[in-house]
Amino acid sequence: MAARDDSVIRGSLIACLIFLVLSLALNFFFWSWGNTQAQTAATAKESLQSRGTELQTMQSEATLMKAMLGVGGLTQAQFDTLTSSSGDDPEMEIIEQNFARDMALFGPEVDPQNRNYPALPDFLVNAIRNRNVQYSQAREQATQIRSQADSDIEVARKAQEVAEQSRDDANKKLETEQSKFAEDRQQMKLTTERTSDSLQKKIAEFTTYRNKVTAEINELQQLETRLSGTIENQRQELVRLRSTNFESTQGLISYVYRDGNVVTINLGSADELTPGVTFGVIDGDETRLQDAKIKATIQVTKLLGDHRAEARVVAFPEIRYPIIPGDQIYSPFWSPGRRVKIALMDNIDIDDDSRPDTTEISSMIRAAGAEVAAILRTDGSREGTFDSSVRFLVIGESERLDDQAGNASEIAAVGKAKAEATENGVTIIPAWKLQAYLKTINDSLTTPLGSAVRGRDFAPEKSTAPKSLPTSLPKIYTEQQERMQRTNDILRP
């Protein structure tokens, strides 16, 4: 029983071994067969890809061939590729290079789509035809140029003949002129001899004439001396007239604002007016400025136009003498276009304290808008420039200019200054008159205000207001003003 069981087990083991061997053999067979099939499929795929690539290449070559034969067209990029491509097919590369070379016969005006072998013969025929036309035109031009050259040669030949004829004529004329020159030179020698004799006579006549002219010059010099004296007398008379009445109004009040503190005048930038100039205001019907009542004092603050300016009232008028349009304004220390210059003697005493008040007078003049051009001292020295541009010479004396006070040296210095002023046409005024003018222009220059005000400086006045306030100037005053203006124009340096 045990032996039987061993046989069964041994048989089972053998069967299992046989089954295992058969399984291994079968697996090896299937693996070998699968590997062979995979290699066959890979080889077939590679062959298929190779045939596809060859087919694409053949299709590209066919398309290129069609484009070369005029079916379809090539872009500029494809056409440029033909000249630089290097394919695997040497024959196709040669065909492409030959095509690119042949298509280069087309000009740049032909598009790449139109470059092909069928169009090349027509292009070449047209090119040959155009070349023939150009050759024909060039030949005609050459014929014309040759004809023109022949004509120019003929003209040059004729010009040469004319030049040669002119040269012969010039030579003949030169010979004639040389002969004439010799005759003229001989004639000139004779003329020179005659001229020398005539010159001697002219010298004698000139000497006589010079003596005569010298006598006439002496007479003219004497006449000039007499006329100079006459002119000097007339100038002194004009200076005297100028010194008598030199005050004149310069403008009018154009408009008065409601509060009466601001006015406009008919002077402006065209009159060379500048801000800060001070004017006195008088009635429009005043004819004598020396005797006129100063109603108020105004000071220019702003220029509004060529003949228009704004001014503020710095010395207010009385209620009975209001400022109205048409009132006249004046300042002896302002004139259009130039600043008034004043010269001072250093012996001016305006407060009777026996000490010179030159500094105070100078400050008052500058405050009025004028300029102190020179200060003349009694010892003969001076500061500044004293010439014809000076308008006034102020001397320290009483109302009578001939009543001199002081020692002999001061009298001599004042006399010398007055003589120089007369020579330069400068108006001489005493200090009291200058102070009166300054006070009429602006009373604040001589009357203390503010904390230094004094009651005696504002004494009451009787009412002298006119019954009416005329706004137009009388004719007599207008004529007098025109005469004074003409006199000033004559005496103005």
Side-chain angles (χ1 to χ4, degrees), residues 63-64 67-68 72-76 78-79 82 99 112-115:
T63 303
L64 180 61
M68 292 180 181
L74 297 175
T75 63
Q76 182 64 41
Q78 292 174 342
F79 188 80
L82 294 177
F99 176 75
Q113 295 83 355
N114 299 325
R115 297 182 184 183

Side-chain angles (χ1 to χ4, degrees), residues 13-295:
L13 290 174
I14 295 170
C16 289
L17 290 173
I18 294 171
F19 180 76
L20 180 61
V21 170
L22 290 175
S23 296
L24 291 174
L26 183 61
N27 287 332
F28 178 77
F29 173 77
F30 284 141
W31 175 80
S32 298
W33 181 79
N35 188 24
T36 303
Q37 293 298 323
Q39 291 178 353
T40 302
T43 303
K45 185 176 181 181
E46 290 178 357
S47 177
L48 180 61
Q49 291 179 350
S50 177
R51 293 296 182 268
T53 303
E54 291 178 359
L55 180 59
Q56 291 179 355
T57 302
M58 293 177 68
Q59 288 178 349
S60 299
E61 292 177 352
T63 303
L64 180 61
M65 288 297 183
K66 290 179 181 180
M68 292 180 181
L69 294 177
V71 179
L74 297 175
T75 63
Q76 182 64 41
Q78 292 174 342
F79 188 80
D80 295 338
T81 305
L82 294 177
T83 59
S84 60
S85 64
S86 57
D88 296 333
D89 190 354
E91 295 179 354
M92 192 62 191
E93 184 177 353
I94 294 173
I95 293 173
E96 292 176 356
Q97 293 177 355
N98 292 334
F99 176 75
R101 182 194 62 195
D102 295 338
M103 294 303 103
L105 296 175
F106 288 99
E109 68 278 1
V110 180
D111 296 332
Q113 295 83 355
N114 299 325
R115 297 182 184 183
N116 50 63
Y117 281 116
L120 183 60
D122 294 337
F123 177 79
L124 293 176
V125 170
N126 292 331
I128 293 171
R129 186 181 294 113
N130 293 334
R131 294 295 186 276
N132 291 335
V133 173
Q134 295 177 0
Y135 175 74
S136 177
Q137 293 177 352
R139 186 168 56 186
E140 291 178 359
Q141 292 179 357
T143 302
Q144 293 177 358
I145 292 173
R146 282 196 297 271
S147 300
Q148 184 65 32
D150 295 338
S151 177
D152 292 342
I153 292 173
E154 182 65 21
V155 171
R157 186 181 61 78
K158 291 181 179 180
Q160 183 179 4
E161 292 177 356
V162 172
E164 292 176 353
Q165 182 64 34
S166 299
R167 181 191 61 189
D168 296 338
D169 294 342
N171 291 333
K172 293 178 181 180
K173 187 176 181 180
L174 177 60
E175 294 176 356
T176 303
E177 292 295 334
Q178 287 177 348
S179 176
K180 186 177 179 181
F181 174 74
E183 295 177 358
D184 291 342
R185 184 172 59 181
Q186 183 64 28
Q187 184 67 26
M188 188 179 297
K189 290 182 180 179
L190 297 176
T191 303
T192 302
E193 294 176 357
R194 290 195 297 269
T195 303
S196 178
D197 296 337
S198 177
L199 180 61
Q200 297 297 328
K201 294 179 181 178
K202 292 296 182 182
I203 291 175
E205 293 176 359
F206 174 74
T207 302
T208 303
Y209 179 75
R210 183 174 59 183
N211 295 334
K212 181 179 178 181
V213 169
T214 302
E216 292 179 355
I217 290 175
N218 293 332
E219 293 179 0
L220 291 176
Q221 289 177 347
Q222 295 176 1
L223 179 61
E224 180 184 7
T225 302
R226 293 194 300 271
L227 293 177
S228 297
T230 302
I231 292 173
E232 178 64 21
N233 293 334
Q234 293 177 352
R235 187 181 64 80
Q236 292 179 0
E237 180 64 18
L238 289 175
V239 171
R240 185 186 64 79
L241 294 175
R242 184 183 181 189
S243 301
T244 302
N245 284 318
F246 61 86
E247 305 94 338
S248 61
T249 59
Q250 288 94 357
L252 299 173
I253 299 293
S254 302
Y255 182 77
V256 181
Y257 292 91
R258 290 183 178 180
D259 56 1
N261 295 330
V262 180
V263 299
T264 57
I265 61 177
N266 63 345
L267 300 176
S269 58
D271 304 303
E272 301 188 27
L273 183 67
T274 57
V277 177
T278 305
F279 293 96
V281 182
I282 63 175
D283 284 337
D285 59 347
E286 290 288 352
T287 57
R288 284 185 57 84
L289 190 58
Q290 299 90 330
D291 302 330
K293 171 67 176 179
I294 301 300
K295 300 170 60 175

Side-chain angles (χ1 to χ4, degrees), residues 389-431:
S389 64
V390 176
R391 184 70 176 88
F392 304 127
L393 171 63
V394 183
I395 59 177
E397 56 184 4
S398 61
E399 292 187 7
R400 296 184 59 188
L401 299 180
D402 55 348
D403 292 340
Q404 296 289 347
N407 54 32
S409 61
E410 291 182 356
I411 294 175
V414 173
K416 182 179 179 180
K418 292 172 65 176
E420 187 175 357
T422 303
E423 181 180 353
N424 291 324
V426 178
T427 301
I428 304 172
I429 59 174

Side-chain angles (χ1 to χ4, degrees), residues 283-286 295 320-322 324 327 464-472:
D283 284 337
D285 59 347
E286 290 288 352
K295 300 170 60 175
R320 61 184 180 219
Y321 299 129
I324 62 174
D327 283 348
T464 58
K467 296 181 180 180
S468 62
L469 298 174
T471 58
S472 60

